[in-house]
Each structure stands twice: as C-alpha cells, then as structure tokens.
Amino acid sequence: DNGAGVATQERKAGSGKIGDASGRGMVDINPPRGTRDFFPEDKRLQNWLFDEFAAVSRLFGFEQIDFPVLESEELYVRKAGEEITEQLYNFEDKGGRRVTLRPELTPSLARLALQKGKGLALPAKWFSIGQCWRYERATRGRRREHYQWNMDVIGVPGVEAEAELLSAIVTFFQRLGLSSADVGLKVSSRKVLQAVLQRYGVQEASFGPVCVVVDKMEKIPREKVVEELAALGVAAEAIEGILQALALRSVAELEEVLGGETPAVADLRRLFELAAAYGYADWLVFDASVVRGLAYYTGVVFEGFDRAGVLRAICGGGRYDRLLGTFGGEDQPCAGFGFGDAVVVELLKDKGLLPQLRHEVEDLVMPQEEGLRDAATSVAQRLRASGRRVDLVLEAKRMKWAFKQAERCGAARLVLVAPEEWSRGAVRVKDLASREEKDVPLDQL
Ligand SMILES: OCc1cccc(Br)n1
C-alpha cells in the first residue's frame, strides 16, 4: 500500500529506469522509497480532500497557519520512547545544525504560539494541512510521508475545546457521506492513568513513557506491555492497577473505581453532555484503553475508528496542557487533533463514497488554420476573462484530434476560429452535449 489516492493504480516498482543520453547511467523515475507522486487524477482527489478539511475548519471559525516542513530536531526530542520520535527523518545540515523533516505539526504550532507570547489573542483556533515524515526501516516497506490536517484550540482549559474539535471531525465525516454507523470516536482521558499512577506512587516523570507503552496494548502482546512497564520501574501491583483501569467499560465504572470527584470522571461526564447538546453523542464511545501514542497528551484523548474494525485509526487527538512549557515557554491549555490523508481515503473507497472528479474546462478553442492563431488566442483570452476555463490548442491539428481532445479535457464547447466566420466577427461553436453547431458573434460568446 503506497497510500496514494485510490485513483493511483499500484505502480509496479519495476526498474523504472530510463536511458540517459549523457551516458551518466540510469535515472530512477520512481519517487523516493515510501513517498508518493500525485498524477492529475490523484491530485484532484487530494485537492478535494484538502478543500473539505479547510471548509470544515472555516465553518468552525478556525484560521489557517503554516510553517516549514524542515524543523530543528530539538522540537521532537522527548525521550518517552515514542515511535514518532524514534523514526525522525533527521540529518545534519551544511551549517552543522541538527534538523529534521517534521513527523507531526503540533510542535510547530507550539512554536508559533510561543512566538506570539502575551500578544496571542486567546482562544486561538488554528488549523493547518501539511506533509509529515518518518524514516521507517526499509524492511517494513511502509509509507514515509503522509499529509495531516490539524485543528487546535489554544487557551481553553475546559472540555468545551475538545467537544468543539470532535464536532468538527463529525461534521467532516458527515460531509463525506459517512455516518455513526460507519465510524465512531473512542474517547477517554489520560487523567485515568494519572490517577492510577498517583495511587501507586509512580513518579510523574514516568507518565509520558507509561502512556506510550500502554498505547501499544492492541499492537503487541500483553506480556510485552507488562515487561516494558516493569522496565520503566512501575511496580507489579501498579501494573495490575493500570491494566484493570484500561479495561473499565463505562464512565460509571470509572466513577466507582476512581470516585466521582476525580477530574477524569468530571471531564468525561461533561464531554458526553456536550456531545448530546451538539447532537453527535451517538458517534462517541467511551474506551478506557485509548491513550494515544504521543507523550505530551495530558487529559482527554480520542481517536476515530471504522466500526467494521478493518482499518487503522482514522484520526486522533486530545488535550496537551504542558507542551508549551516543555519548550521553556509559559504553558497554555491546548487541545487538538491530527487527521491523515490515507486511512480516510481507504475508508471512502470501501464505502463507495469516493467522488468522481473529472478534468473539466468550459471551452476548447482552436484556429481552423495557423493564419488564425493570433485570432484564436484573442478568443481564448476573451473567454478566460469572462471566467471560462479554456484549453487552447497550441499546434496545427485536424478536427478529429480536436474532438478527441475535447473529450479528454471535458470541454462543454468546441470553439473553432474559421476564416469566413471570423471575417464576419463570429466564431463557430459546437455544443458537445447537444451536438448543436452555430455561428456566434464574438460579443455573444
Ligand atoms: O502517524 C505517523 C506518521 C508520521 C509521519 C509520517 C507517517 Br507515513 N506516519
């Protein structure tokens, strides 16, 4: 799975090499390992998806930000054993700086918030769409890049921020034709784990690394999880307590075990109330085993999943109230999510919900003879000035070719600049749907 838009047929890795006139040797025409090319049909799908990302972000009053794909490596040195920081696409640049292709967007957002400092009007509601990278060992043959949509709220300590972000995700799914029967959102809070670790006296510094290990629960054998928790210095009874907490099946059970006034319980109760007010409660599923794999989450965490249970997580996010502080700045309460461009496309394909996106123009313009090329260019410009997309034929072609090209570019009309009509200030226009053909004066085009 090269993860490209489904319009992309699997391109055989083949040699993909072409001869090189200078005899320099062969040039590999395939994209670098783990990366994708987007041919027009692929890019139409990607643009459609990104336009939906941006449309939902704007519907919720979020503003777009952006930042370099290249970042200082220090932004991602978190020593919590996260896969994402162990697979940095990092290198030393020619100035001796340790840099990396970003593996995620949130630390860059944190940089921008810290640059603004007290000048940042709160709450800030920002969104971004950008390519993220990882260096997977070639053996696993997985993708090394994907595009992520992020929405983040800075400066709101209450779960109202998470409720708004979840509503944006639900709105996105609904716009694409997906319902709560197709996808759901698992919700929990890391404050559950925090309460358990405090109960067993596990030191604060282990919180991030413990979460990273627990996040692997569904992916590696339970014994391995126990082993890795023990290796972090977590006592056996604390490990037991953690595993029991992760198995709790409702907020009510959580309340029984942790007590009603526990922050985790209060947060989740309020979140489910808000979900009902928004009208998306049927999309939410409490799942205590959800912790997500990023070390910096501190509260509510959530992830989108396909109810058929076939695909990997569609999106994920949560509260991260300490990230800005870890960069040496003043902390701000933050919550956000990341939404990748690959899994959702696989889901849409499975559900038959991929849009049919064709290359289209309004007009194909062609001079009937080369002596009328200048005239044809003025006709094309007139049509473009009126907002019509024009494919102008750039070489001497026969009508047979023109009709074929009109099909390829999805033209609605073929506009022929011919001598007799042109002498009367008109052009010949063929409506390619009705096949009707007529002379049209220039000022009525
Ligand atoms: O979400 C993990 C991740 C990060 C960067 C690139 C890719 Br593909 N996947």
Side-chain angles (χ1 to χ4, degrees), residues 344-379:
V344 66
V345 169
E346 289 173 47
L347 177 65
L348 291 171
K349 182 187 168 195
D350 294 349
K351 300 283 182 183
L353 288 170
L354 281 177
Q356 292 304 313
L357 302 165
R358 288 197 53 213
H359 173 33
E360 273 176 3
V361 296
E362 276 65 57
D363 298 315
L364 180 75
V365 173
M366 184 167 92
Q368 191 174 60
E369 55 190 57
E370 275 310 290
L372 284 171
R373 168 153 301 283
D374 298 14
T377 56
S378 67
V379 170

Side-chain angles (χ1 to χ4, degrees), residues 21 46 153 161 186 324 382:
Q46 192 83 327
V153 178
K186 291 175 186 171
L324 275 60
R382 171 188 286 265

Side-chain angles (χ1 to χ4, degrees), residues 84 102-103 132-134 143-146 148:
I84 202 170
R102 66 191 172 205
C132 297
W133 294 81
R134 67 182 173 194
R143 283 198 332 278
R144 287 182 170 164
E145 54 75 24
H146 72 165
Q148 252 198 29

Side-chain angles (χ1 to χ4, degrees), residues 34 36 83-84 87 102-104 131-136 142-148 292 341-342:
R36 298 165 289 175
E83 196 177 75
I84 202 170
Q87 295 178 335
R102 66 191 172 205
E104 56 167 328
Q131 193 174 33
C132 297
W133 294 81
R134 67 182 173 194
Y135 191 88
E136 277 265 356
R142 292 203 300 172
R143 283 198 332 278
R144 287 182 170 164
E145 54 75 24
H146 72 165
Y147 286 80
Q148 252 198 29
R292 299 298 296 162
D341 70 331

Side-chain angles (χ1 to χ4, degrees), residues 122-407:
L122 298 177
K125 298 177 182 177
W126 288 344
F127 82 95
S128 56
I129 301 171
Q131 193 174 33
C132 297
W133 294 81
R134 67 182 173 194
Y135 191 88
E136 277 265 356
R137 282 276 156 255
T139 42
R140 293 183 62 169
R142 292 203 300 172
R143 283 198 332 278
R144 287 182 170 164
E145 54 75 24
H146 72 165
Y147 286 80
Q148 252 198 29
W149 166 42
N150 278 210
M151 287 179 79
D152 291 85
V153 178
I154 304 171
V156 174
V159 295
E160 290 78 6
E162 288 92 322
E164 184 79 338
L165 292 165
L166 287 166
S167 179
I169 294 171
V170 168
T171 303
F172 175 77
F173 284 135
Q174 289 172 324
R175 287 168 63 103
L176 272 55
L178 292 162
S179 74
S180 57
D182 301 311
V183 295
L185 290 158
K186 291 175 186 171
V187 177
S188 183
S189 171
R190 281 196 171 176
K191 289 180 183 174
V192 171
L193 266 185
Q194 194 178 30
V196 171
L197 295 186
Q198 273 161 1
R199 175 175 297 183
Y200 291 99
V202 178
Q203 77 262 36
E204 186 62 25
S206 304
F207 181 60
V210 165
C211 290
V212 171
V213 169
V214 167
D215 177 61
K216 294 187 269 189
M217 185 70 81
E218 256 93 64
K219 299 154 205 158
I220 62 176
R222 181 191 171 95
E223 303 70 59
K224 191 87 179 62
V225 170
V226 171
E227 196 180 296
E228 290 192 23
L229 289 174
L232 289 175
V234 183
E237 62 167 345
I239 292 174
E240 237 355 85
I242 290 167
L243 298 179
Q244 278 167 20
L246 295 174
L248 292 170
R249 286 190 314 284
S250 69
V251 180
E253 274 188 24
L254 200 59
E255 190 156 11
E256 271 166 48
V257 170
L258 295 179
E261 69 297 332
T262 316
V265 173
D267 281 352
L268 290 166
R269 281 224 179 289
R270 184 63 187 125
L271 186 59
F272 279 90
E273 270 173 18
L274 286 165
Y278 275 97
Y280 64 75
D282 55 321
W283 290 69
L284 297 194
V285 178
F286 170 74
D287 182 334
S289 72
V290 172
V291 288
R292 299 298 296 162
L294 294 173
Y296 50 69
Y297 287 131
T298 55
V300 168
V301 283
F302 50 85
E303 69 189 32
F305 70 101
D306 75 299
R307 300 255 188 195
V310 171
L311 301 171
R312 310 181 301 289
I314 304 166
C315 58
R319 177 160 291 280
Y320 54 98
D321 289 344
R322 295 276 170 279
L323 183 62
L324 275 60
T326 62
F327 290 165
E330 187 190 329
D331 260 331
Q332 277 295 350
C334 297
F337 67 79
F339 199 124
D341 70 331
V343 179
V344 66
V345 169
E346 289 173 47
L347 177 65
L348 291 171
K349 182 187 168 195
D350 294 349
K351 300 283 182 183
L353 288 170
L354 281 177
Q356 292 304 313
L357 302 165
R358 288 197 53 213
H359 173 33
E360 273 176 3
V361 296
E362 276 65 57
D363 298 315
L364 180 75
V365 173
M366 184 167 92
Q368 191 174 60
E369 55 190 57
E370 275 310 290
L372 284 171
R373 168 153 301 283
D374 298 14
T377 56
S378 67
V379 170
Q381 288 309 88
R382 171 188 286 265
L383 289 166
R384 286 164 176 164
S386 72
R388 294 177 70 88
R389 294 166 295 180
V390 173
D391 180 341
L392 173 61
V393 177
L394 299 176
E395 317 163 85
K397 293 286 184 183
R398 298 182 186 290
M399 284 309 291
K400 188 167 179 292
W401 182 90
F403 283 113
K404 198 88 197 73
Q405 177 58 19
E407 256 176 59

